[in-house]
């Protein structure tokens, strides 16, 4: 049954890809509930299945098995996710637009009832990601960190209930990372729910209400960072993560 507090329910979600080497079980039996207003981080090494999970939730891939419910309603593959803001793993905005034009274009395109389209609203969005000082700069002239900020701006430009962010701090320097973490915490204060994935552990402790650990396509742990440290009797996430991954490798069929 649908729990009132959950914004997304993922049930027994699996995805396998066909490749030249044979079948790749990228995600197996993922069951996960994302609660309204929480920040939940899906952690895992490269190839663990994080992006596959995110793309399934976004409807860019069809699952081999399983269902996804958004606010209690089953989501169909390919139906637009208007209430979900999304930052893809490799975000590549149109280089021929200015920062302002790009956000304006996307806001208009999103067609969401509460999309911000007015100039003040666009400047407000840019301010929140620290890009209000360069609205007229061409996207082609931005640094990687600035592009990532534009990516975050476009993810919440339509005022979505849920933000899904695939590696939001990838490629950023430490200050850039801290800024983005602060931004996400501010989004949470505004009532947004955030589901993000990352292979960088250091950013998670401050940010997440709960973490999920994926290894080899299977969810190995779901709970608070404190619970995770307790599970392994360690003081930092990295030590626990190593043990979890080792355990997954030595017993690949354990859920
Ligand atoms: N389009 C695809 N075709 C075949 N295999 C894929 C495809 N996309 C991802 N995979 C494989 O699925 C597994 C999970 O990948 P991915 O979800 O991208 O992991 P992560 O985001 O955690 O790094 C990897 O083994 C990867 O090689
Ligand atoms: Mg990925």
């Amino acid at each position: 049954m649908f729990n009132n507090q959950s914004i997304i329910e993922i049930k027994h979600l699996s995805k396998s890809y066909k490749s030249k080497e044979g079948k790749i079980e990228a995600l197996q039996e993922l069951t996960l509930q994302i609660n309204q207003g929480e920040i939940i981080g899906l952690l895992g090494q490269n190839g663990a299945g994080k992006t596959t999970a995110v793309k399934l939730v976004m409807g860019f891939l069809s699952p081999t098995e399983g269902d996804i419910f958004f606010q209690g309603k089953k989501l169909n593959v390919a139906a637009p996710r208007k209430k979900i803001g999304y930052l893809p793993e490799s975000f590549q905005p149109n280089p021929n637009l200015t920062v302002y034009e790009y956000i304006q274009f996307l806001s208009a395109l999103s067609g969401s009832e509460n999309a911000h389209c007015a100039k003040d609203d666009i400047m407000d969005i840019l301010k929140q990601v620290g890009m209000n000082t360069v609205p007229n700069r061409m996207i082609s002239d931005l640094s990687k960190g600035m592009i990532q900020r534009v990516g975050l701006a476009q993810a919440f430009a339509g005022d979505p209930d849920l933000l899904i962010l695939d590696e939001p701090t990838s490629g950023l320097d430490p200050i850039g990372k801290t800024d983005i973490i602060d931004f996400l915490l501010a989004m949470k204060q505004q009532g947004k729910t955030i589901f993000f994935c990352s292979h960088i552990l250091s950013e998670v402790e401050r940010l997440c209400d709960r973490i999920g650990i994926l290894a080899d396509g299977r969810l190995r742990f779901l709970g608070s960072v404190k619970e995770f440290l307790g599970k392994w009797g360690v003081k930092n996430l990295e030590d626990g993560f190593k043990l979890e991954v080792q355990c997954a490798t030595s017993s690949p069929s354990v859920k």
Side-chain angles (χ1 to χ4, degrees):
M1 276 305 288
F2 173 60
N3 172 336
N4 270 339
Q5 281 196 318
S6 74
I7 187 161
I8 286 247
E9 280 199 89
I10 298 169
K11 290 186 177 168
H12 308 291
L13 199 63
S14 299
K15 176 71 187 174
S16 56
Y17 298 104
K18 284 187 191 118
S19 80
K20 283 181 188 158
E21 310 146 65
K23 201 159 116 183
I24 297 175
E25 307 273 10
L27 194 68
Q28 297 181 65
E29 291 273 331
L30 177 68
T31 294
L32 173 68
Q33 180 175 307
I34 303 173
N35 298 320
Q36 193 84 44
E38 77 172 337
I39 301 187
I40 181 163
L42 195 57
L43 310 178
Q45 293 179 307
N46 290 329
K50 305 180 297 295
T51 295
T52 299
V54 161
K55 285 185 177 168
L56 287 167
V57 174
M58 289 308 299
F60 301 142
L61 292 173
S62 50
T64 314
E65 273 181 63
D67 294 306
I68 305 162
F69 298 83
F70 180 71
Q71 293 173 333
K73 287 195 192 121
K74 190 169 160 180
L75 283 177
N76 294 319
V77 175
R81 311 304 204 224
K82 282 193 177 170
K83 290 180 172 176
I84 304 180
Y86 169 60
L87 174 67
E89 190 170 31
S90 318
F91 174 65
Q92 290 170 329
N94 183 340
N96 302 314
L97 296 176
T98 66
V99 169
Y100 182 90
E101 286 167 347
Y102 182 73
I103 298 300
Q104 184 183 41
F105 169 71
L106 283 184
S107 298
L109 204 67
S110 79
S112 154
E113 278 167 28
N114 43 9
H116 305 268
C117 283
K119 184 169 184 218
D120 284 355
D121 288 335
I122 291 172
M123 287 311 292
D124 184 50
I125 289 170
L126 294 179
K127 189 169 178 201
Q128 293 201 57
V129 294
M131 291 294 283
N132 54 320
T133 54
V134 288
N136 298 320
R137 192 168 297 179
M138 298 298 293
I139 298 273
S140 57
D141 297 342
L142 300 180
S143 69
K144 165 81 183 144
M146 288 166 142
I147 297 233
Q148 206 65 353
R149 284 162 197 257
V150 172
L152 285 170
Q154 62 80 36
F156 81 95
D159 198 19
D161 297 334
L162 170 68
L163 289 166
I164 297 189
L165 313 169
D166 195 345
E167 309 268 359
T169 62
S170 75
L172 301 189
D173 61 33
I175 293 176
K177 279 185 187 150
T178 308
D179 283 354
I180 288 196
I181 289 170
D182 288 344
F183 166 77
L184 295 179
L185 288 169
M187 285 287 105
K188 186 186 168 185
Q189 295 272 311
Q190 290 180 25
K192 305 283 184 212
T193 306
I194 300 172
F195 175 52
F196 78 101
C197 54
S198 177
H199 66 279
I200 304 164
L201 302 179
S202 54
E203 63 201 34
V204 166
E205 283 186 272
R206 235 183 94 207
L207 198 55
C208 293
D209 298 297
R210 288 191 300 151
I211 55 170
I213 308 253
L214 263 189
D216 287 337
R218 282 193 185 274
L219 190 67
R220 308 284 166 166
F221 173 84
L222 183 64
S224 68
V225 170
K226 200 172 158 201
E227 284 164 351
F228 183 65
L229 298 180
K231 173 180 175 183
W232 292 103
V234 292
K235 290 212 164 60
N236 68 66
L237 200 54
E238 207 160 330
D239 290 344
F241 186 76
K242 275 185 205 149
L243 290 167
E244 191 71 70
V245 171
Q246 266 170 25
C247 177
T249 318
S250 58
S251 56
S253 62
V254 173
K255 266 193 202 176

